[in-house]
Amino acid sequence: MTQTLTIPRPDDWHLHLRDGAMLKAVLPETARHFGRAIIMPNLVPPVVTGADASAYRDRILAAMPEGADFTPLMTLYLTEETDPEDVAKAAADGLVHAVKLYPAGATTNSASGVTDFDKVRPVLEKMAEIGLPLCLHGEVTDPDIDIFDREAVFIDRVLDPIRKATPGLRVVMEHVTTADAVAYVQGAPKDLAATITAHHLVINRNHILVGGIRPHYYCLPVAKREVHRQALVTAATSGDARFFLGTDSAPHIDALKEHACGCAGCFTATNAVSVVAEIFDRESALDQLAAFLSLNGATHYKLPVSVRTLTLRKGEHCTYPSKIDSDDGPVTVFDPGFPLHWSVTTGK
Ligand code: DOR
Ligand code: ZN
């Protein structure tokens, strides 16, 4: 029996598009299924000012495939030198939809991030005043903290103090990976939300490490124990408006993933919608799929829900390429490790 499901066109509330040859290669993968995406600013050098964001948006629009209807929602990379007035102007111009805080050293290209959180206080206060969301990479970088504990410690040491010191600041805790983060978000008022990736709904830390090391499953925050994955699935499928998809699709060429010091990032843009649908189907939660993919994020970012649609159709199986090509080299598409059944067609 064919089953179909039509939902408003999904958005990706956390995406790495990179630049140059990689941008050209990965942009069509996202634009095929998603209508908008929050574009991460961790280029080298990072997208720090409104002028940087405007130039980057132009490069994205120039790389857009023929006939695509996709809107990049730009963000600024928060540094200790960020000028609150520049942020306010970029937001007022409709150019920038969030500011991204990377603790310095937390992940790929985060060296220009924040070490002293007091130094960014004026920017955070300005953002609270104008209602501009703060996106957070929620991991401490203290070498004494075990990598599997870094998200939970971040909540106590950084996130909670920032929220208490900046009332009214709208925050998105990005790519949450723990039951601790889910509980914290559930217990907070609606000005706090969280993105969840497709891959963290699928893998736990055993998938990375048991039977050989799987570099294409290595990302940051690193996947945790199974109990945490289950908490993420429960949150995503609950319909709670504070949780929505942010794929964190993060392309790195295979040569740099399959490496003595492999880069962090799972590339999921190509199949994320089908992967998420599969998870929701397994949980008998397809009635909540539109909330997670298409409604909750738009509400948090105070943007209209897409008037375009996307139709998912359940069949024998639906296949995706295992790699995509770029002029820099091949990029491996995330392998969920189980067959996918929901194929995607886009409507008007
Ligand atoms: O796995 C990740 N890859 N996590 C991040 O936070 C950054 C991203 C990237 O840019 O490669
Ligand atoms: Zn990311």
Side-chain angles (χ1 to χ4, degrees):
M1 189 188 76
T2 320
Q3 250 181 292
T4 63
L5 193 60
T6 296
I7 60 174
R9 181 109 161 172
D11 302 302
D12 183 350
W13 300 100
H14 181 132
L15 176 66
H16 297 271
L17 282 179
R18 315 296 193 209
D19 216 341
M22 189 59 87
L23 166 63
K24 189 101 191 121
V26 301
L27 181 56
E29 300 301 302
T30 286
R32 194 174 300 132
H33 294 165
F34 294 95
R36 294 170 290 205
I38 285 278
I39 309 300
M40 287 296 120
N42 63 334
L43 305 183
V44 188
V47 178
V48 174
T49 64
D52 296 339
S54 175
Y56 184 31
R57 185 174 65 174
D58 288 348
R59 297 199 295 283
I60 295 169
L61 296 177
M64 201 76 86
E66 267 296 302
D69 189 357
F70 171 77
T71 306
L73 305 172
M74 308 312 291
T75 64
L76 298 179
Y77 185 119
L78 184 59
T79 73
E80 292 176 5
E81 283 76 47
T82 293
D83 172 8
E85 292 313 318
D86 183 61
V87 171
K89 178 166 186 319
D93 290 347
L95 170 67
V96 152
H97 292 265
V99 171
K100 176 69 187 257
L101 190 162
Y102 288 102
T107 187
T108 311
N109 304 336
S110 61
S112 316
V114 178
T115 304
D116 180 350
F117 294 95
D118 284 338
K119 291 209 175 126
V120 297
R121 174 139 311 289
V123 183
L124 301 184
E125 277 163 10
K126 175 58 80 175
M127 289 169 63
E129 182 192 318
I130 64 179
L132 186 66
L134 176 72
C135 297
L136 280 173
H137 183 106
E139 288 189 287
V140 291
T141 54
D142 183 338
D144 292 340
I145 304 295
D146 188 275
I147 192 162
F148 292 102
D149 297 332
R150 288 179 173 197
E151 181 173 288
V153 172
F154 182 88
I155 295 169
D156 292 340
R157 285 199 192 163
V158 183
L159 175 54
D160 201 55
I162 283 181
R163 291 187 54 248
K164 289 201 170 111
T166 328
L169 182 64
R170 292 170 54 226
V171 176
V172 183
M173 195 177 177
E174 302 280 13
H175 43 51
V176 290
T177 59
T178 57
D180 312 62
V182 166
Y184 183 75
V185 172
Q186 284 167 338
K190 295 271 189 270
D191 58 4
L192 178 64
T195 56
I196 301 177
T197 75
H199 52 280
H200 288 117
L201 293 175
V202 173
I203 60 167
N204 62 38
R205 62 193 199 177
N206 279 13
H207 293 98
I208 311 171
L209 296 170
V210 172
I213 191 156
R214 313 289 160 120
H216 296 289
Y217 288 160
Y218 173 62
C219 67
L220 288 170
V222 69
K224 310 295 191 297
R225 288 175 183 275
E226 174 62 7
V227 64
H228 294 291
R229 188 195 68 84
Q230 285 171 7
L232 301 178
V233 171
T234 302
T237 56
S238 67
D240 185 329
R242 288 169 292 200
F243 297 99
F244 39 87
L245 179 70
T247 64
D248 197 14
S249 179
H252 294 276
I253 57 168
D254 285 353
L256 294 177
K257 291 288 293 174
E258 299 163 9
H259 192 273
C261 183
C263 295
C266 296
F267 178 66
T268 56
T270 308
N271 60 2
V273 171
S274 291
V275 169
V276 172
E278 195 75 31
I279 293 282
F280 275 59
D281 193 1
R282 288 173 166 207
E283 297 295 310
S284 304
L286 286 169
D287 56 331
Q288 300 299 348
L289 188 65
F292 184 67
L293 292 180
S294 317
L295 308 178
N296 296 348
T299 305
H300 188 79
Y301 277 91
K302 300 196 194 302
L303 290 169
V305 171
S306 179
V307 292
R308 292 182 295 146
T309 60
L310 176 140
T311 297
L312 293 125
R313 190 165 280 105
K314 190 172 186 180
E316 274 299 296
H317 49 76
C318 110
T319 53
Y320 287 95
S322 59
K323 291 178 194 290
I324 63 151
D325 280 322
S326 81
D327 284 349
D328 291 340
V331 176
T332 292
V333 175
F334 176 71
D335 173 8
F338 46 71
L340 298 174
H341 299 92
W342 289 90
S343 60
V344 178
T345 47
T346 49
K348 287 281 158 233

PDB file of all heavy atoms in Angstrom, residues 9-31:
ATOM      1  N   ARG A   9       7.136  22.826   3.028  1.00  0.00           N
ATOM      2  CA  ARG A   9       8.548  22.600   2.681  1.00  0.00           C
ATOM      3  C   ARG A   9       9.431  22.786   3.926  1.00  0.00           C
ATOM      4  O   ARG A   9       9.346  23.807   4.612  1.00  0.00           O
ATOM      5  CB  ARG A   9       8.913  23.631   1.625  1.00  0.00           C
ATOM      6  CG  ARG A   9      10.314  23.541   1.145  1.00  0.00           C
ATOM      7  CD  ARG A   9      10.350  23.020  -0.250  1.00  0.00           C
ATOM      8  NE  ARG A   9      11.614  23.336  -0.866  1.00  0.00           N
ATOM      9  CZ  ARG A   9      11.992  22.868  -2.033  1.00  0.00           C
ATOM     10  NH1 ARG A   9      11.173  22.088  -2.720  1.00  0.00           N
ATOM     11  NH2 ARG A   9      13.150  23.179  -2.537  1.00  0.00           N
ATOM     12  N   PRO A  10      10.290  21.808   4.235  1.00  0.00           N
ATOM     13  CA  PRO A  10      11.120  21.919   5.451  1.00  0.00           C
ATOM     14  C   PRO A  10      12.185  23.014   5.348  1.00  0.00           C
ATOM     15  O   PRO A  10      12.556  23.440   4.246  1.00  0.00           O
ATOM     16  CB  PRO A  10      11.800  20.549   5.544  1.00  0.00           C
ATOM     17  CG  PRO A  10      11.021  19.642   4.681  1.00  0.00           C
ATOM     18  CD  PRO A  10      10.430  20.504   3.601  1.00  0.00           C
ATOM     19  N   ASP A  11      12.673  23.412   6.498  1.00  0.00           N
ATOM     20  CA  ASP A  11      13.815  24.325   6.609  1.00  0.00           C
ATOM     21  C   ASP A  11      14.896  23.608   7.407  1.00  0.00           C
ATOM     22  O   ASP A  11      14.607  22.734   8.220  1.00  0.00           O
ATOM     23  CB  ASP A  11      13.408  25.606   7.357  1.00  0.00           C
ATOM     24  CG  ASP A  11      12.261  26.324   6.679  1.00  0.00           C
ATOM     25  OD1 ASP A  11      12.402  26.685   5.505  1.00  0.00           O
ATOM     26  OD2 ASP A  11      11.214  26.521   7.337  1.00  0.00           O
ATOM     27  N   ASP A  12      16.123  24.032   7.170  1.00  0.00           N
ATOM     28  CA  ASP A  12      17.253  23.477   7.930  1.00  0.00           C
ATOM     29  C   ASP A  12      17.817  24.600   8.796  1.00  0.00           C
ATOM     30  O   ASP A  12      18.399  25.551   8.278  1.00  0.00           O
ATOM     31  CB  ASP A  12      18.312  22.939   6.960  1.00  0.00           C
ATOM     32  CG  ASP A  12      19.462  22.279   7.702  1.00  0.00           C
ATOM     33  OD1 ASP A  12      19.524  22.414   8.941  1.00  0.00           O
ATOM     34  OD2 ASP A  12      20.292  21.636   7.039  1.00  0.00           O
ATOM     35  N   TRP A  13      17.641  24.455  10.102  1.00  0.00           N
ATOM     36  CA  TRP A  13      17.985  25.561  11.007  1.00  0.00           C
ATOM     37  C   TRP A  13      19.426  25.525  11.481  1.00  0.00           C
ATOM     38  O   TRP A  13      19.788  26.214  12.447  1.00  0.00           O
ATOM     39  CB  TRP A  13      16.975  25.625  12.173  1.00  0.00           C
ATOM     40  CG  TRP A  13      15.597  25.834  11.617  1.00  0.00           C
ATOM     41  CD1 TRP A  13      14.644  24.891  11.425  1.00  0.00           C
ATOM     42  CD2 TRP A  13      15.057  27.060  11.092  1.00  0.00           C
ATOM     43  NE1 TRP A  13      13.533  25.451  10.816  1.00  0.00           N
ATOM     44  CE2 TRP A  13      13.764  26.781  10.607  1.00  0.00           C
ATOM     45  CE3 TRP A  13      15.539  28.372  10.984  1.00  0.00           C
ATOM     46  CZ2 TRP A  13      12.945  27.753  10.025  1.00  0.00           C
ATOM     47  CZ3 TRP A  13      14.728  29.345  10.408  1.00  0.00           C
ATOM     48  CH2 TRP A  13      13.452  29.021   9.940  1.00  0.00           C
ATOM     49  N   HIS A  14      20.272  24.762  10.785  1.00  0.00           N
ATOM     50  CA  HIS A  14      21.715  24.756  11.095  1.00  0.00           C
ATOM     51  C   HIS A  14      22.432  24.035   9.963  1.00  0.00           C
ATOM     52  O   HIS A  14      22.363  22.814   9.847  1.00  0.00           O
ATOM     53  CB  HIS A  14      21.977  24.030  12.426  1.00  0.00           C
ATOM     54  CG  HIS A  14      23.424  24.013  12.820  1.00  0.00           C
ATOM     55  ND1 HIS A  14      23.843  24.358  14.078  1.00  0.00           N
ATOM     56  CD2 HIS A  14      24.538  23.691  12.141  1.00  0.00           C
ATOM     57  CE1 HIS A  14      25.156  24.251  14.145  1.00  0.00           C
ATOM     58  NE2 HIS A  14      25.613  23.835  12.973  1.00  0.00           N
ATOM     59  N   LEU A  15      23.132  24.802   9.147  1.00  0.00           N
ATOM     60  CA  LEU A  15      23.736  24.208   7.942  1.00  0.00           C
ATOM     61  C   LEU A  15      25.100  24.830   7.652  1.00  0.00           C
ATOM     62  O   LEU A  15      25.273  26.047   7.743  1.00  0.00           O
ATOM     63  CB  LEU A  15      22.806  24.469   6.741  1.00  0.00           C
ATOM     64  CG  LEU A  15      23.330  24.006   5.384  1.00  0.00           C
ATOM     65  CD1 LEU A  15      23.434  22.472   5.322  1.00  0.00           C
ATOM     66  CD2 LEU A  15      22.422  24.510   4.262  1.00  0.00           C
ATOM     67  N   HIS A  16      26.035  23.970   7.233  1.00  0.00           N
ATOM     68  CA  HIS A  16      27.345  24.439   6.762  1.00  0.00           C
ATOM     69  C   HIS A  16      27.387  24.316   5.245  1.00  0.00           C
ATOM     70  O   HIS A  16      27.309  23.211   4.713  1.00  0.00           O
ATOM     71  CB  HIS A  16      28.473  23.604   7.371  1.00  0.00           C
ATOM     72  CG  HIS A  16      28.540  23.723   8.855  1.00  0.00           C
ATOM     73  ND1 HIS A  16      29.281  24.693   9.492  1.00  0.00           N
ATOM     74  CD2 HIS A  16      27.909  23.010   9.824  1.00  0.00           C
ATOM     75  CE1 HIS A  16      29.124  24.560  10.807  1.00  0.00           C
ATOM     76  NE2 HIS A  16      28.290  23.553  11.040  1.00  0.00           N
ATOM     77  N   LEU A  17      27.485  25.456   4.576  1.00  0.00           N
ATOM     78  CA  LEU A  17      27.567  25.438   3.107  1.00  0.00           C
ATOM     79  C   LEU A  17      28.989  25.634   2.605  1.00  0.00           C
ATOM     80  O   LEU A  17      29.244  25.443   1.414  1.00  0.00           O
ATOM     81  CB  LEU A  17      26.684  26.538   2.504  1.00  0.00           C
ATOM     82  CG  LEU A  17      25.180  26.285   2.444  1.00  0.00           C
ATOM     83  CD1 LEU A  17      24.459  27.491   1.827  1.00  0.00           C
ATOM     84  CD2 LEU A  17      24.845  25.023   1.655  1.00  0.00           C
ATOM     85  N   ARG A  18      29.903  26.084   3.493  1.00  0.00           N
ATOM     86  CA  ARG A  18      31.295  26.356   3.090  1.00  0.00           C
ATOM     87  C   ARG A  18      31.340  27.430   1.997  1.00  0.00           C
ATOM     88  O   ARG A  18      30.452  28.258   1.888  1.00  0.00           O
ATOM     89  CB  ARG A  18      32.012  25.083   2.623  1.00  0.00           C
ATOM     90  CG  ARG A  18      31.819  23.844   3.496  1.00  0.00           C
ATOM     91  CD  ARG A  18      32.374  23.992   4.879  1.00  0.00           C
ATOM     92  NE  ARG A  18      32.442  22.703   5.557  1.00  0.00           N
ATOM     93  CZ  ARG A  18      32.358  22.543   6.865  1.00  0.00           C
ATOM     94  NH1 ARG A  18      32.188  23.574   7.660  1.00  0.00           N
ATOM     95  NH2 ARG A  18      32.444  21.345   7.406  1.00  0.00           N
ATOM     96  N   ASP A  19      32.354  27.329   1.131  1.00  0.00           N
ATOM     97  CA  ASP A  19      32.602  28.382   0.148  1.00  0.00           C
ATOM     98  C   ASP A  19      33.244  27.738  -1.081  1.00  0.00           C
ATOM     99  O   ASP A  19      33.596  26.549  -1.033  1.00  0.00           O
ATOM    100  CB  ASP A  19      33.559  29.423   0.774  1.00  0.00           C
ATOM    101  CG  ASP A  19      33.243  30.838   0.336  1.00  0.00           C
ATOM    102  OD1 ASP A  19      32.555  31.016  -0.685  1.00  0.00           O
ATOM    103  OD2 ASP A  19      33.701  31.784   1.008  1.00  0.00           O
ATOM    104  N   GLY A  20      33.379  28.483  -2.156  1.00  0.00           N
ATOM    105  CA  GLY A  20      34.135  28.029  -3.317  1.00  0.00           C
ATOM    106  C   GLY A  20      33.605  26.721  -3.894  1.00  0.00           C
ATOM    107  O   GLY A  20      32.395  26.535  -4.067  1.00  0.00           O
ATOM    108  N   ALA A  21      34.520  25.782  -4.186  1.00  0.00           N
ATOM    109  CA  ALA A  21      34.149  24.528  -4.855  1.00  0.00           C
ATOM    110  C   ALA A  21      33.195  23.707  -3.992  1.00  0.00           C
ATOM    111  O   ALA A  21      32.270  23.069  -4.510  1.00  0.00           O
ATOM    112  CB  ALA A  21      35.406  23.717  -5.162  1.00  0.00           C
ATOM    113  N   MET A  22      33.405  23.720  -2.688  1.00  0.00           N
ATOM    114  CA  MET A  22      32.528  22.917  -1.821  1.00  0.00           C
ATOM    115  C   MET A  22      31.112  23.499  -1.793  1.00  0.00           C
ATOM    116  O   MET A  22      30.122  22.762  -1.865  1.00  0.00           O
ATOM    117  CB  MET A  22      33.114  22.837  -0.408  1.00  0.00           C
ATOM    118  CG  MET A  22      32.406  21.863   0.486  1.00  0.00           C
ATOM    119  SD  MET A  22      32.425  20.176  -0.171  1.00  0.00           S
ATOM    120  CE  MET A  22      33.976  19.587   0.474  1.00  0.00           C
ATOM    121  N   LEU A  23      31.003  24.812  -1.719  1.00  0.00           N
ATOM    122  CA  LEU A  23      29.682  25.468  -1.762  1.00  0.00           C
ATOM    123  C   LEU A  23      28.929  25.045  -3.028  1.00  0.00           C
ATOM    124  O   LEU A  23      27.748  24.659  -2.967  1.00  0.00           O
ATOM    125  CB  LEU A  23      29.871  26.991  -1.721  1.00  0.00           C
ATOM    126  CG  LEU A  23      28.671  27.857  -2.074  1.00  0.00           C
ATOM    127  CD1 LEU A  23      27.523  27.644  -1.089  1.00  0.00           C
ATOM    128  CD2 LEU A  23      29.065  29.346  -2.088  1.00  0.00           C
ATOM    129  N   LYS A  24      29.616  25.102  -4.141  1.00  0.00           N
ATOM    130  CA  LYS A  24      29.003  24.740  -5.440  1.00  0.00           C
ATOM    131  C   LYS A  24      28.491  23.293  -5.407  1.00  0.00           C
ATOM    132  O   LYS A  24      27.436  22.979  -5.937  1.00  0.00           O
ATOM    133  CB  LYS A  24      30.099  24.913  -6.510  1.00  0.00           C
ATOM    134  CG  LYS A  24      29.650  24.804  -7.907  1.00  0.00           C
ATOM    135  CD  LYS A  24      29.493  26.184  -8.547  1.00  0.00           C
ATOM    136  CE  LYS A  24      28.787  26.053  -9.873  1.00  0.00           C
ATOM    137  NZ  LYS A  24      27.573  26.756 -10.013  1.00  0.00           N
ATOM    138  N   ALA A  25      29.247  22.424  -4.742  1.00  0.00           N
ATOM    139  CA  ALA A  25      28.883  21.002  -4.715  1.00  0.00           C
ATOM    140  C   ALA A  25      27.738  20.707  -3.756  1.00  0.00           C
ATOM    141  O   ALA A  25      26.879  19.868  -4.042  1.00  0.00           O
ATOM    142  CB  ALA A  25      30.108  20.166  -4.335  1.00  0.00           C
ATOM    143  N   VAL A  26      27.709  21.363  -2.601  1.00  0.00           N
ATOM    144  CA  VAL A  26      26.729  20.969  -1.578  1.00  0.00           C
ATOM    145  C   VAL A  26      25.433  21.778  -1.621  1.00  0.00           C
ATOM    146  O   VAL A  26      24.399  21.304  -1.155  1.00  0.00           O
ATOM    147  CB  VAL A  26      27.325  21.004  -0.140  1.00  0.00           C
ATOM    148  CG1 VAL A  26      28.523  20.082  -0.035  1.00  0.00           C
ATOM    149  CG2 VAL A  26      27.670  22.413   0.321  1.00  0.00           C
ATOM    150  N   LEU A  27      25.468  22.983  -2.183  1.00  0.00           N
ATOM    151  CA  LEU A  27      24.251  23.805  -2.193  1.00  0.00           C
ATOM    152  C   LEU A  27      23.070  23.118  -2.876  1.00  0.00           C
ATOM    153  O   LEU A  27      21.953  23.105  -2.327  1.00  0.00           O
ATOM    154  CB  LEU A  27      24.566  25.175  -2.825  1.00  0.00           C
ATOM    155  CG  LEU A  27      23.425  26.171  -2.910  1.00  0.00           C
ATOM    156  CD1 LEU A  27      22.800  26.455  -1.546  1.00  0.00           C
ATOM    157  CD2 LEU A  27      23.907  27.486  -3.543  1.00  0.00           C
ATOM    158  N   PRO A  28      23.281  22.463  -4.048  1.00  0.00           N
ATOM    159  CA  PRO A  28      22.121  21.788  -4.679  1.00  0.00           C
ATOM    160  C   PRO A  28      21.543  20.683  -3.797  1.00  0.00           C
ATOM    161  O   PRO A  28      20.342  20.398  -3.871  1.00  0.00           O
ATOM    162  CB  PRO A  28      22.706  21.180  -5.964  1.00  0.00           C
ATOM    163  CG  PRO A  28      23.993  21.888  -6.213  1.00  0.00           C
ATOM    164  CD  PRO A  28      24.494  22.365  -4.882  1.00  0.00           C
ATOM    165  N   GLU A  29      22.375  20.064  -2.977  1.00  0.00           N
ATOM    166  CA  GLU A  29      21.909  18.970  -2.117  1.00  0.00           C
ATOM    167  C   GLU A  29      20.899  19.485  -1.099  1.00  0.00           C
ATOM    168  O   GLU A  29      19.897  18.832  -0.807  1.00  0.00           O
ATOM    169  CB  GLU A  29      23.104  18.310  -1.410  1.00  0.00           C
ATOM    170  CG  GLU A  29      24.134  17.725  -2.358  1.00  0.00           C
ATOM    171  CD  GLU A  29      23.553  16.660  -3.282  1.00  0.00           C
ATOM    172  OE1 GLU A  29      23.021  15.664  -2.757  1.00  0.00           O
ATOM    173  OE2 GLU A  29      23.618  16.846  -4.515  1.00  0.00           O
ATOM    174  N   THR A  30      21.158  20.662  -0.550  1.00  0.00           N
ATOM    175  CA  THR A  30      20.219  21.252   0.407  1.00  0.00           C
ATOM    176  C   THR A  30      19.019  21.857  -0.308  1.00  0.00           C
ATOM    177  O   THR A  30      17.866  21.667   0.106  1.00  0.00           O
ATOM    178  CB  THR A  30      20.940  22.311   1.270  1.00  0.00           C
ATOM    179  OG1 THR A  30      21.782  21.637   2.206  1.00  0.00           O
ATOM    180  CG2 THR A  30      19.954  23.186   2.041  1.00  0.00           C
ATOM    181  N   ALA A  31      19.286  22.577  -1.414  1.00  0.00           N
ATOM    182  CA  ALA A  31      18.205  23.309  -2.100  1.00  0.00           C
ATOM    183  C   ALA A  31      17.155  22.359  -2.685  1.00  0.00           C
ATOM    184  O   ALA A  31      16.025  22.765  -2.949  1.00  0.00           O
ATOM    185  CB  ALA A  31      18.798  24.192  -3.198  1.00  0.00           C
TER     186      ALA A  31
END
